[in-house]
Amino acid sequence: MASGDLGSQHTRDFLETSDFSPNLLDLLSNILVLYQTVPYLPISAILNVAATSRSFRQLLHNTPGVFRHLDLTRVSTAQFDIDGIDHGGEVWRNVQVDENLTEDDFYSGPLRGIFSSLRRRNILQHVNTLVLDGLSVTSEFVNDLLVDPSSRVRILSIREVKNLNERKLMQSLRYACRKSRPEDMPRLKALYYFGKKDAPPLPMTAPSRHVAPARVSRGANISAGWNYKSQHALKESIEGEGEDWYSRKGRMISKPIADGWAETLLDCRETLCFDTVLCTGPRHRNSPAFGKTLVTPVSANGSSPWGVATFAVGGCASCGSAPEGFTVYGESRAEELPLLSPVPLHSSSVKSATRPVPMMHGAGQRHEFVPRCLECIRERYCFSCNQWWCEACYQVPSREELAMQHVHIVDEANGLMDHEMAALAQLKVKTPKITRSCWECEHNCLDCIAETQKRCHRCGGGYCIIHHEGSTLKLGARSVVDVGVLTFINRQALVRERVIND
């Protein structure tokens, strides 16, 4: 070997084994790298790394912000899979469940055990964002977080949790946000509760490029490649839908809203932000258009004068606006902006939790939406194309008006009387823009119904192309039913004939 080759080989070996090569400790000692890395790690992984050496322990436990974001949804000891509280024979955490155990102690036991351990390690005092989605969380547990002066939790996520008493939770929230509350209390500023919990990230593994062995078929390699492409396309599709409320329109909250939540949001609106807002339809008192639009107020029906927004819609299909105007990020007040999913990783402020992602196309476009409850868009909103018609442009026909269009007086000669003909000449027929033509479909506009509803040329029966169940243009729903009935009758006749012959 030449001397030049020996020199380069020694230099390479020295660089690979010298102290100048970066290691994990040097990499994490960079504050920027550390802050961008630890939010993606579970608490168990951080503690395991800290237990490897004294240097890692000092770095992770003495650096502020390492335990700022705490996600317990993937911790196995936080899971709760026991159905009932009165299972006297169940052994849980090496303690026999007996009558002295309260309901809160039973259902919140796993989380309280974890919190006790974190408190002993001096970790809980550094937590600013706490994610408990899907776990067993009681209202007493949330109340302890609200009233505890040592708690530093600013963002709490309890979406799709178990064993939570909503009534007690509303009482705790309204009490914590009362006007006579202590100064700087509650420390909690954002609560995720109404939406769905964040979906786990899709694993994106690049297809292997090594040569497959002979025993592996070519079809398996093709399937693996298509699986990778489908995962990549699904991820791009999910990300392309944009954020809820601003980019993606339609139903935002799918869970039923219990009575009292609208009043709770109203009482807490200056202190707490939620992942939904109050409905601003002109039927509600908090709407800027209340009393200015020809609609019946909700209070006239004996209902609550406020409502929780479960839909996000754009501008009216006719005028492009709404009687109450839009909720615009950057222009509307902070209490009018909903918390956006997912829960922010690198910040624990309300501003970051309500900030939408900047638009890639069109610098002049605004982030805006119209928050509405279901009652305010009933028979105004199309569930297929997300179009809707506001109260200023469209008045929903009443049942009496629709009945007048179909009931007329006829004489003995089977014809309309003269005064009926004159009345019909002056009558302005109101055609409903939203109707329901399929029992399985939601209320849709006339254009969407024309695209999805077909009529059989044979029997004249209508059917939906989405829920047709075998109907075609030559074999409609009525024909399918008739064929099914005849088939059933023929089968019954054959059974009787066999019984008689036997």
Side-chain angles (χ1 to χ4, degrees):
M1 182 179 293
S3 60
D5 295 339
L6 289 174
S8 60
Q9 180 66 29
H10 288 309
T11 303
R12 190 182 308 111
D13 294 340
F14 173 77
L15 291 176
E16 291 177 355
T17 59
S18 64
D19 295 335
F20 294 100
S21 59
N23 52 30
L24 181 60
L25 181 61
D26 296 334
L27 191 64
L28 294 180
S29 297
N30 188 320
I31 299 300
L32 180 60
V33 176
L34 181 64
Y35 284 168
Q36 294 295 321
T37 303
V38 291
Y40 296 96
L41 300 177
I43 183 65
S44 59
I46 299 176
L47 294 178
N48 290 337
V49 173
T52 56
S53 67
R54 182 177 300 177
S55 300
F56 276 111
R57 180 177 179 83
Q58 291 179 353
L59 173 65
L60 296 178
H61 283 273
N62 297 335
T63 303
V66 172
F67 300 99
R68 178 192 53 81
H69 186 96
L70 181 59
D71 187 354
L72 298 180
T73 58
R74 293 177 289 176
V75 178
S76 58
T77 55
Q79 308 302 320
F80 188 91
D81 299 327
I82 302 176
D83 296 331
I85 191 173
D86 54 351
H87 293 175
E90 294 283 354
V91 178
W92 171 68
R93 289 192 177 277
N94 299 323
V95 178
Q96 188 74 19
V97 177
D98 54 16
E99 297 179 355
N100 297 325
L101 190 66
T102 64
E103 184 178 3
D104 174 65
D105 294 336
F106 182 81
Y107 289 123
S108 63
L111 284 181
R112 292 190 183 276
I114 294 176
F115 268 49
S116 178
S117 177
L118 295 177
R119 190 176 288 107
R120 289 195 306 267
R121 297 168 181 252
N122 296 325
I123 294 177
L124 195 59
Q125 59 185 352
H126 302 292
V127 176
N128 298 139
T129 300
L130 182 60
V131 182
L132 306 176
D133 297 338
L135 302 178
S136 177
V137 181
T138 62
S139 57
E140 291 82 359
F141 182 84
V142 178
N143 182 73
D144 293 343
L145 291 177
L146 290 172
V147 301
D148 187 5
S150 63
S151 176
R152 296 294 185 270
V153 177
R154 297 177 58 85
I155 298 179
L156 175 63
S157 180
I158 51 173
R159 295 168 294 184
E160 300 184 20
V161 296
K162 309 171 186 176
N163 308 314
L164 181 67
N165 190 322
E166 282 190 283
R167 294 296 177 187
K168 292 184 178 180
L169 176 62
M170 285 186 273
Q171 293 175 3
S172 300
L173 293 174
R174 299 177 76 171
Y175 178 78
C177 298
R178 68 192 186 280
K179 294 184 179 180
S180 61
R181 65 185 183 274
E183 190 176 359
D184 296 335
M185 292 295 289
R187 302 290 177 84
L188 187 67
K189 300 300 178 183
L191 179 63
Y192 287 84
Y193 173 73
F194 297 95
K196 295 183 178 179
K197 60 182 181 180
D198 299 331
L202 294 176
M204 296 302 297
T205 56
S208 59
R209 300 184 180 277
H210 65 276
V211 180
R215 56 188 176 88
V216 179
S217 63
R218 182 172 178 269
N221 294 332
I222 296 176
S223 301
W226 278 109
N227 288 337
Y228 171 77
K229 292 180 180 180
S230 62
Q231 288 182 0
H232 184 68
L234 178 60
K235 182 178 180 181
E236 288 186 346
S237 175
I238 294 175
E239 295 177 351
E241 292 180 357
E243 292 175 310
D244 291 347
W245 301 99
Y246 295 102
S247 299
R248 189 177 69 85
K249 299 297 189 293
R251 188 188 294 272
M252 298 291 105
I253 309 298
S254 57
K255 64 182 301 182
I257 305 298
D259 295 337
W261 270 117
E263 290 78 6
T264 303
L265 265 63
L266 185 67
D267 293 341
C268 302
R269 64 184 310 179
E270 296 181 358
T271 308
L272 264 178
C273 292
F274 295 84
D275 50 347
T276 187
V277 292
L278 290 173
C279 176
T280 58
R283 301 167 65 247
H284 304 288
R285 290 184 182 178
N286 61 294
S287 173
F290 180 75
K292 302 177 182 178
T293 309
L294 186 60
V295 292
T296 303
V298 183
S299 56
N301 301 328
S303 304
S304 173
W306 299 279
V308 177
T310 55
F311 285 80
V313 295
C316 171
S318 297
C319 65
S321 182
E324 68 272 26
F326 291 94
T327 297
V328 184
Y329 176 78
E331 299 180 7
S332 302
R333 295 177 297 177
E335 57 265 22
E336 298 176 353
L337 304 178
L339 301 175
L340 303 178
S341 296
V343 179
L345 283 175
H346 305 291
S347 178
S348 298
S349 64
V350 176
K351 186 176 181 180
S352 62
T354 57
R355 183 192 301 118
V357 177
M359 293 184 178
M360 301 298 295
H361 306 285
Q365 296 182 358
R366 304 186 305 174
H367 291 90
E368 59 184 17
F369 68 96
V370 179
R372 287 291 183 105
C373 63
L374 178 60
E375 294 301 323
C376 285
I377 60 172
R378 188 178 296 276
E379 300 184 13
R380 298 181 178 276
Y381 174 76
C382 176
F383 284 84
S384 295
C385 63
N386 293 330
Q387 288 191 109
W388 75 292
W389 287 262
C390 69
E391 292 81 0
C393 299
Y394 171 62
Q395 295 294 327
V396 178
S398 62
R399 295 182 179 179
E400 292 76 10
E401 292 174 338
L402 293 176
M404 289 175 58
Q405 301 174 17
H406 301 285
V407 179
H408 306 287
I409 302 175
V410 295
D411 56 7
E412 295 180 355
N414 198 20
L416 293 176
M417 297 182 179
D418 295 338
H419 67 277
E420 279 288 316
M421 294 295 295
L424 283 177
Q426 300 177 359
L427 179 63
K428 294 182 179 180
V429 178
K430 287 187 177 181
T431 303
K433 296 181 179 293
I434 302 295
T435 184
R436 190 169 191 170
S437 57
C438 174
W439 287 109
E440 298 186 42
C441 295
E442 293 284 355
H443 289 76
N444 296 324
C445 64
L446 299 181
D447 294 336
C448 293
I449 290 176
E451 295 179 359
T452 58
Q453 301 297 317
K454 303 298 180 181
R455 186 172 296 277
C456 177
H457 299 328
R458 179 179 177 182
C459 65
Y463 67 94
C464 172
I465 62 175
I466 300 176
H467 308 102
H468 56 82
E469 296 182 354
S471 301
T472 62
L473 289 176
K474 295 183 179 180
L475 187 64
R478 189 183 306 172
S479 300
V480 171
V481 174
D482 294 341
V483 171
V485 172
L486 290 176
T487 303
F488 177 78
I489 294 175
N490 293 334
R491 289 180 179 176
Q492 294 295 322
L494 290 175
V495 171
R496 294 194 191 97
E497 185 178 354
R498 291 177 181 176
V499 172
I500 295 173
N501 294 334
D502 294 340

